């Protein structure tokens, strides 16, 4: 069992195609159980689901960490894949490792599964079999396979399984991820110069003589100042790699966008670019993620050959899932399991409370946005027009001395029309960043429950350790080792939460200031405009 | 016929009671035809009706110039009485003068009809027959009778009948209403010192040992500085007198309030007092109305005896309806009927256009008011609370250095709650006056169509004059007299419209300045508040 769990991460094999297709169908129509409550963000095509609910998986190829599902009432929508556990009887009818090898192969044989991602198949044309020139077989398979893998992480038990790390053999000499005791408690080691990168210059590219087109973004890291080009599907590949490798300890936020239609509209491209920038910035700010081989490779590969080789290498990485904790070496005394449990509970509680707070802010922000871009400016416009209409009527009176009043009323009317325009444009200037930042944190928080669940499960395993010793399943040394490893996990969690908190304080301080500044400027501008209109009237 | 028309204004007679009751029922349930389009103001219990529509009169005792009607679809609501013409076959089955004498008597015999106006009948108690101590018989009859009279003005022809004046005998020496040629054209003679009065100090009074209670307002004119007390029903009596006497040439706006329930709530009393002040101020500003005997009497009567005598005298005034034009002596050359028609058309067009403009402004104002006191502040409050909730969550993190952020977020949240409060209160500070002024002008404009219709009808009569001469119905001198009287009417209309325009320019100039100033202050305060909240955050 443990063996299987480790094995599936790297294996590749050729298999009977008809068998593969059967599995694919089974997996596509699979049922899944919901692991955590998820509340849909309005207007975002998401579906609210409750812990324990059984749902049908409609489309696992949506990407960005999202899956299209249908609930028992027939409502469908998107749910984060980390919140789902594929129901046992479908997966269990195949031995784990084999089943996943099969599905990876299935994806390899089906180019269009992958390509429908960010390419437009014009005129109903579909590329078949091996017709893809970019990235080769491994490239074509990545999305589908990694999607299955990340689902699979939670498919053998409720939540991820910590045994893989707790009972693993000590590692040979490899890279280490240091956790230090800082002023605020356990902290990661931060690089002296923070990494940053700029996502810019989206270009529509095409291949297969124009039959397929896609958008390529230019990403320039501060380290090399040399731009690399990436399509959305490459970001998604990176997301899957980071989720697989670091998802047990670092909340990897989903890629911010999952829109499939209208991909070539300028507004959409600008928005997606902005969101990719936000996502990349978040990853750059993480000391472990930003320094990782796969992330550096994504930012610095030199040509297609290097890209293909690097991809294959990253996909073969065995230091993924809970095994990542093997790299942790906390410079601190070992924690008692009780303390670990307590710390974990506290983070879970915080995560849940912040999720609730953000959900409410996003809800009211969404409502407010709709009002500010809909009925409110329409009213200001109508007020402005009503003033102007009255002014026109007045000027028809032929009564001498109307002019000062009618001119002033026209000006007042125009002022309200301008205010209407300002009101419509304002959310883009302030509410937008407030919403984006909170959406991003919602994504980060959404990636935390599997992490705390893993810690909780590890804690429970360690509690069982005594019984396992008695039953002769592990020896005393292994029990002590488990306890020490649990302590390492907990330091990691604390370092990660401290990273989260310091970033959060910085981000919320920044976004609140930006919001308040923009709002103050907005109201000041309206006040100034109204005073300008007022001056047009004769003093009484 | 002409004789009857003049006669009904003053006569009083005792009649068979059963006959009287039959007439009353006929009149109460009477059908009426709509003379002019009327569009209901939203939220005001009014009913939109179209010219030519036949409606049922449900309640003529509503007061303030309003009648409760039902249309053919069964919808009911209030319509200004000046817009209705009681359908001929009910009135015509009785000789005009007699019918109205009957109905006046009917009202005299029914004290509670009158009293249910602004008195509360506590515990279902009703005063019967002659039990009323205040104002005596003529007081008790006034409302019902005058309501019938003002309806009757338009019941013998479509619109008021101008013959009463055009063919009247020249008057013996009496008071005159001069119309001068001013810079802007024909104008009234304005008094050197404008009259003003203050409506204040509403007191709940009662009579019949507390079984009936009412509100008495104190009205103090600048001329005497001596306050007089009046109940709402006295204002209504004054309204009816002014409408009867000047309604053919001066737009008498309806009394602003027609609410019957909740009459003793403080808010309602304050609002009614404010609206009575607005109405009295408007009447004081009119040079003809303010100087009239009835208006002066209302403001200066000394005791109950003088009140009763003055009321009877005013009710016996024969110089009412179109006869008022006999008092006009324009100091200007006689106008040709074609010019009269043209001037009249122009005013009608202006009136209609301004009514439309005001209706739109009132509609959007009403919508905006609802938003500003409903969903909009609720949203600001929710935004404020969401910030505070997040702040509370943040402060639970136990991460060092949260305080500056959480304190600032609390302050920002409270600021948005304060903004919510400001938004809710703002309409009362600015939109209120904009709406009140426009509602008042809507009332004034609503009283203009009968005036222009009277002029139009007079113009048509004068056109017919040649034929009447040929038919031997009038002689040549009478024809010339009719033409001269039409010219006087037209000068009156012009003087009145010039009065309207100069007041309008003043009023709109004032209300627009007040609105813009309050709005500018409001937005400035919000901007300042937001800057205050912003300063709480640490500078990045």
């Amino acid at each position: 069992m443990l063996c299987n769990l480790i094995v599936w991460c790297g294996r590749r094999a050729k298999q009977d195609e008809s068998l593969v297709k059967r599995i694919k169908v089974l997996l596509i129509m699979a049922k899944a159980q919901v692991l955590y409550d998820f509340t849909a963000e309005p207007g975002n095509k998401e579906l609210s689901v409750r812990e324990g609910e059984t749902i049908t998986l409609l489309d696992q190829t949506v990407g960005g960490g999202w899956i299209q599902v249908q609930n028992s009432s027939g409502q469908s929508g998107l749910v984060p894949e980390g919140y789902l556990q594929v129901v046992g009887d479908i997966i269990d009818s195949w031995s784990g490792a084999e089943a996943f090898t099969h599905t990876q192969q299935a994806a390899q044989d089906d180019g269009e599964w992958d390509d429908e991602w960010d390419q437009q198949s014009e005129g109903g044309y579909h590329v078949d079999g091996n017709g893809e020139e970019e990235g080769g077989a491994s490239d074509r398979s990545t999305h589908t396979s990694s999607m299955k893998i990340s689902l699979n992480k939670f498919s053998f038990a409720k939540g991820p399984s910590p045994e893989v790390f707790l009972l693993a053999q000590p590692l040979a000499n490899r890279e280490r991820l240091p956790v230090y005791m800082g002023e605020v408690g356990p902290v990661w080691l931060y690089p002296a110069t923070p990494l940053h990168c700029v996502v810019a210059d989206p270009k529509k590219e095409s291949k297969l003589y124009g039959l397929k087109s896609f958008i390529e973004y230019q990403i320039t890291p501060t380290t090399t100042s040399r731009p690399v080009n990436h399509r959305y599907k490459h970001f998604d590949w990176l997301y899957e790699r980071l989720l697989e490798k670091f998802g047990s300890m670092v909340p990897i936020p989903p890629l911010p966008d999952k829109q499939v239609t209208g991909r070539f509209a300028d507004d959409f491209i600008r928005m997606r670019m902005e969101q990719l920038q936000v996502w990349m910035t978040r990853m750059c700010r993480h000391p472990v993620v930003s320094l990782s081989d796969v992330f550096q490779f994504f930012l610095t590969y030199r040509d297609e050959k290097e890209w293909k080789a690097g991809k294959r290498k990253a996909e073969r990485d065995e230091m993924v899932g809970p095994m990542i904790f093997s790299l942790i070496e906390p410079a601190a005394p070992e924690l008692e399991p009780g303390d670990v449990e307590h710390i974990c509970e506290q983070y879970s509680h915080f995560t849940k409370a912040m999720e609730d707070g953000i959900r409410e802010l996003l809800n009211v922000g969404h409502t407010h946005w709709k009002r500010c871009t809909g009925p409110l400016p329409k009213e200001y416009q109508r007020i402005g027009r009503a003033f102007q209409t009255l002014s026109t009527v007045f000027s028809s009176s032929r009564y001498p001395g109307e002019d000062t009043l009618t001119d002033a009323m026209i000006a007042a009317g125009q002022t309200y029309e301008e205010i209407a325009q300002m009101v419509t444009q304002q959310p883009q200037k302030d509410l937008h960043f407030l919403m984006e930042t909170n959406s991003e944190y919602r994504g980060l928080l959404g990636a935390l429950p599997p992490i705390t669940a893993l810690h909780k499960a590890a804690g429970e395993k360690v509690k069982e350790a005594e019984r396992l010793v008695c039953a002769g399943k592990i020896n005393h040394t292994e029990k002590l080792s488990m306890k020490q490893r649990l302590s390492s996990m907990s330091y990691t969690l604390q370092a990660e939460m401290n990273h989260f908190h310091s970033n959060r304080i910085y981000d919320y301080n920044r976004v609140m200031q930006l919001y308040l500044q923009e709002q103050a400027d907005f109201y000041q501008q309206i006040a100034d405009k109204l005073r300008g209109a007022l001056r047009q009237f004769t003093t009484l």
Side-chain angles (χ1 to χ4, degrees), chain A:
Chain A
M1 174 71 165
L2 271 179
C3 193
N4 281 349
L5 261 168
I6 297 163
V7 156
W8 56 248
C9 301
R11 276 225 228 141
R12 296 282 185 279
K14 273 264 174 206
Q15 297 286 338
D16 172 353
E17 202 174 329
S18 72
L19 183 65
V20 159
K21 288 207 170 140
R22 265 179 58 205
I23 298 162
K24 209 172 75 180
V25 169
L26 277 171
L27 281 167
I28 291 169
M29 297 304 297
K31 298 273 177 188
Q33 203 166 14
V34 178
L35 295 175
Y36 322 100
D37 285 355
F38 172 74
T39 308
E41 194 179 332
N44 231 349
K45 293 178 187 166
E46 298 171 9
L47 181 71
S48 293
V49 289
R50 293 285 138 242
E51 185 180 329
E53 194 179 336
T54 300
I55 50 155
T56 308
L57 306 178
L58 293 184
D59 186 0
Q60 299 174 47
T61 70
V62 176
W66 297 88
I67 289 184
Q68 178 86 16
V69 305
Q70 186 174 47
N71 66 16
S72 58
S73 320
Q75 296 169 304
S76 67
L78 298 157
V79 172
E81 58 176 318
Y83 282 58
L84 305 178
Q85 172 192 4
V86 173
V87 172
D89 61 354
I90 294 170
I91 298 295
D92 289 352
S93 63
W94 305 92
S95 79
E98 271 186 333
F100 283 89
T101 313
H102 289 327
T103 43
Q104 284 179 350
Q105 186 51 39
Q108 282 187 5
D109 287 355
D110 200 346
E112 70 185 22
W113 256 46
D114 160 46
D115 276 326
E116 69 193 15
W117 270 86
D118 68 340
Q119 284 161 222
Q120 213 165 31
S121 293
E122 286 172 19
Y125 178 85
H126 288 271
V127 182
D128 60 14
N130 303 308
E132 243 240 358
E133 92 286 16
E134 189 205 345
S138 103
D139 178 64
R140 276 187 285 126
S141 71
T142 48
H143 169 66
T144 316
S145 63
S146 64
M147 186 69 76
K148 298 302 165 294
I149 287 165
S150 61
L151 260 183
N152 180 59
K153 271 205 308 268
F154 311 115
S155 67
F156 291 86
K158 170 143 182 161
S161 164
E163 296 95 323
V164 69
F165 159 63
L166 289 177
L167 294 173
Q169 292 301 309
L171 287 169
N173 190 28
R174 291 193 60 160
E175 86 269 28
R176 289 287 183 265
L177 293 173
V179 170
Y180 288 96
M181 288 306 288
E183 281 178 35
V184 298
V187 287
W188 295 115
L189 176 65
Y190 286 84
T193 315
L195 177 62
H196 190 60
C197 72
V198 174
V199 182
D201 207 13
K203 279 202 182 65
K204 191 173 172 181
E205 300 288 346
S206 62
K207 56 184 183 176
L208 291 176
Y209 308 102
L211 285 169
K212 287 187 164 198
S213 45
F214 50 87
I215 304 297
E216 217 165 51
Y217 304 87
Q218 210 175 62
I219 300 104
T220 313
T222 46
T223 41
T224 62
S225 302
R226 194 176 51 78
V228 292
N229 292 327
H230 281 299
R231 297 162 55 180
Y232 181 82
K233 71 183 259 185
H234 299 170
F235 282 95
D236 193 62
W237 174 86
L238 177 63
Y239 165 73
E240 295 294 344
R241 290 287 79 66
L242 295 179
L243 186 67
E244 188 180 24
K245 186 167 178 65
F246 299 114
S248 298
M249 81 182 179
V250 175
I252 306 294
L255 283 180
D257 187 72
K258 49 189 183 282
Q259 187 175 342
V260 182
T261 52
R263 279 172 299 136
F264 297 117
D266 286 350
D267 275 356
F268 171 73
I269 291 168
R270 197 163 18 83
M271 186 186 74
R272 176 174 266 185
M273 188 179 77
E274 188 193 288
Q275 292 171 327
L276 289 172
Q277 175 72 71
V278 165
W279 190 83
M280 282 302 285
T281 302
R282 178 69 52 197
M283 295 296 94
C284 283
R285 278 163 72 181
H286 199 285
V288 174
V289 171
S290 66
L291 293 174
S292 69
D293 288 349
V294 62
F295 193 72
Q296 288 290 332
F297 157 68
F298 183 84
L299 287 177
T300 57
Y301 81 96
R302 292 184 168 268
D303 53 34
E304 194 164 321
K305 196 180 157 206
E306 212 174 294
W307 174 247
K308 284 183 188 176
K311 279 185 78 179
R312 265 190 294 271
K313 180 168 170 273
E315 285 157 17
R316 272 197 300 268
D317 189 354
E318 289 184 18
M319 198 50 64
V320 296
M323 283 307 287
I324 196 77
F325 293 109
S326 335
L327 306 181
I328 303 297
E329 283 191 338
E334 193 177 310
L335 289 169
E336 283 307 303
D339 296 336
V340 172
E341 194 179 341
H342 178 70
I343 289 163
C344 193
E345 284 296 317
Q346 192 185 310
Y347 289 147
S348 294
H349 182 79
F350 179 88
T351 302
K352 179 73 174 58
M354 185 165 166
E355 267 190 327
D356 291 347
I358 284 181
R359 186 184 310 122
E360 169 58 12
L361 189 58
L362 287 175
N363 281 342
V364 63
H366 189 75
T367 309
H368 194 56
W369 189 298
K370 279 201 291 189
R371 188 177 317 282
C372 291
T373 54
L376 195 58
K378 274 211 190 79
E379 260 166 45
Y380 286 120
Q381 199 176 43
R382 274 181 68 196
I383 290 170
R385 286 189 185 156
F387 287 158
Q388 291 177 77
T389 303
L390 269 184
S391 172
T392 308
V393 175
F394 288 179
S395 67
S396 79
S397 75
R398 310 197 190 180
Y399 187 82
E402 286 278 7
D403 288 358
T404 317
L405 176 64
T406 51
D407 290 353
M409 283 186 72
I410 289 278
Q414 284 166 347
T415 301
Y416 274 90
E417 289 202 305
E418 284 163 30
I419 291 173
Q421 195 68 18
M422 284 171 65
V423 170
T424 312
Q425 290 164 352
Q426 193 55 24
Q428 199 59 47
K429 291 186 191 166
D430 49 27
L431 195 52
H432 173 65
F433 293 107
L434 188 65
M435 301 280 281
E436 283 291 311
T437 301
N438 278 284
S439 291
E440 200 196 352
Y441 269 88
R442 186 167 170 270
L444 279 167
L445 291 166
L448 278 171
I451 294 173
T452 48
L454 182 72
H455 279 71
K456 213 178 156 189
E460 274 154 21
K461 282 283 163 223
V462 171
K463 276 187 199 164
E464 280 179 39
E466 195 61 50
R467 193 178 51 76
L468 292 172
V469 172
C470 295
K473 299 218 171 169
I474 59 172
N475 60 34
H476 187 67
T477 316
E478 281 173 324
K479 189 192 107 176
L480 291 179
S481 166
M482 279 174 78
K483 199 163 150 270
Q484 184 259 317
R485 286 176 182 195
L486 176 66
S487 172
S488 291
M489 283 179 75
S490 181
Y491 278 115
T492 313
L493 179 61
Q494 290 176 66
E496 189 51 36
M497 287 308 288
N498 284 333
H499 175 75
F500 179 86
H501 287 321
S502 75
N503 275 274
R504 173 180 55 73
I505 291 173
Y506 175 85
D507 289 337
Y508 275 85
N509 203 26
R510 186 168 156 272
V511 77
M512 287 297 294
Q513 286 192 59
L514 196 144
Y515 185 68
L516 292 172
Q517 183 67 63
E518 283 289 337
Q519 284 261 293
D521 290 352
F522 167 67
Y523 289 111
Q524 186 62 58
Q525 271 182 57
I526 294 182
D528 293 345
K529 264 188 189 296
L530 289 167
R531 274 196 215 97
L534 179 60
R535 279 193 294 273
Q536 303 268 322
F537 287 83
T538 42
T539 317
L540 290 175

